Amino acid sequence: ASCRYRLTEIGFRGLVFQKLNCRPACCEIHRCFFNTRHIGDDGFNPCNTTGAAHPLDTEHGLYCHSAIITIVPTKTAVKLATKNNKERDITIVGCGFAAVALGISLKKAGLNNFTILERSNEIGGVWRENTYPGAACDVPSRLYSFSFEQDYPWSLRYAPQKEIFEYLKHCIDKYSLTRHIRLGMEVTKATYDDDAATWSVATKSGEEITTDIFISAVGLFNNPSIPDIPGQDTFKGSQFHSARWDHSVELDGKTIASIGSGASAIQYVPELAKISKQLNVFQRTPQHIFAKGDRANAQQDQSTTLWQKLSHRRERLQLFTRFEKNSRRRSSEELTQKSAEAFEKYIHSLVDDAEMLKKVLPDYPPGCKRGLRSDDWYPALLKTNVNLIDAPIDTITSTQSFMAPALRRPRF
């Protein structure tokens, strides 16, 4: 006599169940969380509350709304709810892309009792912190955007940092997330109370927040990882991490040392090469850095006609399909070998210096590290004022650096 459900979808959102039949009284349980232990061969019955009192019986909470039940991944499972239970308190830590997407999804699902805690005085995460010259996304803008907000007027095919930052603000304003966001709230500790089935979240300011659901949406690339190099604290010149770029430092005509050749370096090094007197690039490991393509910086059509909207979705689908197709090589030795050969051919078309080829060609196959994209990195390394150094840094003195073996570099 109670509701019956069948599994209708297995996707990135989780499992989706379709209601098969329903009696009016049972419909009163809508907008409740349920325990997944009641999913079995004979269907799913959210009215059955037997044997599901422990909050850690499952890794998911279930949300029932408009004849659809979707499993929403959470930090901890929620106690089995009944129709009399209140809407759960949800606390999200971090306010970058992940938190904004989650907040919008919660509102669309009818869940408004959530708070986003951001330690900074501004939203944005990695796109707030990284303001170095040339900062941009190496994924095309049409793909590096939310599926529900695809018609943003991107200026370029690969959007610059400032534009991505503004896109996040646009989404927050459009979907009314501002009232849910608390800035300057750095979380220092989160403790789970098993008996009460709640989290206690402590902040740096001393405030403690009790919440039913705790979700971490902190990023990976907004905290600088600074190498511990002997003598670094004795250097008399300016020094800073790319994620904490000091825009007050005048770099024109200077001798500059840049340590690293990762995703950030391949963007700011070409910019520094244009203005520096001498640029010494210290590289530990060469990367597979592929070209962006002929339309790398193509101006984007900002019209919002129906035809253009359809064009945006077509381009997004094409990009997604291409990226998925390229990922197949990860499980194929044959495709990996073909990719390696194509990359080597590409490098040889750009670099004809034997010594430089030894420095820029990786000794590992594509896929061992995240593939990067730039049309400017290799041309920048070939400039007369740029010196690519692949020897380890041994020490830093007040005016210069030393490598092992003892190679002295120009004063900075």
Side-chain angles (χ1 to χ4, degrees):
S2 60
C3 290
R4 306 282 293 181
Y5 298 81
R6 70 172 176 218
L7 181 64
T8 60
E9 178 186 338
I10 300 178
F12 68 93
R13 294 181 300 165
L15 306 181
V16 178
F17 291 84
Q18 178 71 49
K19 185 177 293 185
L20 297 180
N21 66 330
C22 184
R23 57 183 174 82
C26 185
C27 289
E28 296 176 7
I29 65 166
H30 288 175
R31 299 190 63 192
C32 293
F33 286 92
F34 302 99
N35 194 300
T36 55
R37 71 177 296 164
H38 296 297
I39 301 173
D41 295 334
D42 58 344
F44 174 75
N45 181 5
C47 294
N48 181 5
T49 61
T50 60
H54 198 280
L56 299 183
D57 283 339
T58 175
E59 295 179 353
H60 301 87
L62 286 182
Y63 179 66
C64 177
H65 184 64
S66 300
I68 293 290
I69 288 185
T70 304
I71 296 183
V72 183
T74 58
K75 175 66 178 177
T76 181
V78 199
K79 272 191 174 182
L80 186 67
T82 69
K83 64 183 179 182
N84 296 320
N85 275 37
K86 69 178 182 68
E87 187 175 308
R88 299 288 172 171
D89 296 317
I90 303 172
T91 300
I92 305 165
V93 180
C95 194
F97 263 94
V100 171
L102 180 55
I104 293 171
S105 298
L106 288 171
K107 289 179 75 71
K108 286 184 174 182
L111 294 170
N112 291 285
N113 199 24
F114 66 92
T115 302
I116 300 174
L117 305 180
E118 168 56 51
R119 68 178 180 181
S120 176
N121 291 322
E122 181 62 281
I123 62 94
V126 63
W127 297 109
R128 176 194 65 240
E129 301 290 356
N130 288 269
T131 61
Y132 56 80
C137 187
D138 60 1
V139 175
S141 306
R142 292 296 168 206
L143 189 59
Y144 197 82
S145 54
F146 294 130
S147 60
F148 49 80
E149 193 62 27
Q150 296 184 38
D151 299 313
Y152 189 76
W154 300 108
S155 62
L156 298 173
R157 183 171 169 82
Y158 290 87
Q161 170 268 336
K162 184 177 180 180
E163 206 164 304
I164 299 172
F165 188 32
E166 292 301 322
Y167 173 76
L168 268 179
K169 291 181 178 179
H170 160 79
C171 291
I172 288 173
D173 291 340
K174 180 175 179 179
Y175 294 95
S176 304
L177 287 185
T178 303
R179 69 182 183 87
H180 296 277
I181 299 172
R182 297 184 62 186
L183 301 174
M185 297 290 290
E186 182 174 351
V187 173
T188 58
K189 187 177 181 181
T191 307
Y192 184 70
D193 185 331
D194 190 49
D195 294 328
T198 59
W199 285 87
S200 178
V201 180
T203 68
K204 191 174 182 178
S205 63
E207 182 177 350
E208 288 208 7
I209 301 168
T210 300
T211 185
D212 297 305
I213 302 173
F214 172 78
I215 303 175
S216 174
V218 298
L220 301 174
F221 306 115
N222 57 346
N223 291 320
S225 178
I226 301 176
D228 185 15
I229 302 174
Q232 184 176 348
D233 57 346
T234 67
F235 182 66
K236 294 180 179 180
S238 300
Q239 58 175 307
F240 47 84
H241 192 280
S242 62
R244 298 291 184 272
W245 197 271
D246 188 346
H247 293 276
S248 68
V249 177
E250 181 59 55
L251 299 174
D252 286 28
K254 299 293 181 63
T255 297
I256 304 170
S258 173
I259 301 175
S261 58
S264 298
I266 69 169
Q267 293 184 338
Y268 71 72
V269 162
E271 299 301 315
L272 294 183
K274 298 174 184 177
I275 62 174
S276 61
K277 176 184 177 181
Q278 176 69 34
L279 177 58
N280 298 308
V281 180
F282 293 85
Q283 171 188 272
R284 180 182 63 179
T285 308
Q287 309 275 352
H288 288 94
I289 304 173
F290 301 89
K292 287 183 175 179
D294 295 335
R295 294 180 58 209
N297 253 3
Q299 294 287 329
Q300 299 295 287
D301 187 343
Q302 298 185 12
S303 63
T304 55
T305 63
L306 176 60
W307 174 253
Q308 194 57 42
K309 289 182 178 181
L310 292 174
S311 177
H312 293 166
R313 282 147 185 78
R314 177 174 176 270
E315 181 182 5
R316 181 183 175 94
L317 179 60
Q318 288 176 330
L319 288 167
F320 177 82
T321 303
R322 191 185 78 197
F323 276 72
E324 286 295 301
K325 183 179 179 181
N326 290 344
S327 68
R328 294 177 186 173
R329 61 172 167 75
R330 297 177 182 176
S331 58
S332 169
E333 291 186 13
E334 180 182 356
L335 292 178
T336 298
Q337 182 60 33
K338 286 183 178 180
S339 178
E341 292 172 357
F343 179 78
E344 187 169 347
K345 183 179 180 180
Y346 164 64
I347 295 299
H348 277 276
S349 71
L350 298 175
V351 182
D352 56 10
D353 180 82
E355 288 302 314
M356 180 62 77
L357 282 171
K358 291 179 181 179
K359 295 179 180 180
V360 298
L361 278 173
D363 60 0
Y364 55 90
C368 293
K369 291 178 177 286
R370 178 181 179 271
L372 305 177
R373 292 188 177 276
S374 171
D375 292 331
D376 305 317
W377 171 251
Y378 296 114
L381 297 182
L382 297 175
K383 289 191 173 185
T384 56
N385 66 325
V386 178
N387 186 20
L388 180 61
I389 304 163
D390 58 355
I393 300 176
D394 185 46
T395 59
I396 294 177
T397 68
S398 61
T399 59
Q400 53 200 353
S401 64
F402 293 87
M403 281 73 66
L407 293 170
R408 179 171 293 190
R409 290 297 150 194
R411 294 175 180 272
F412 302 140

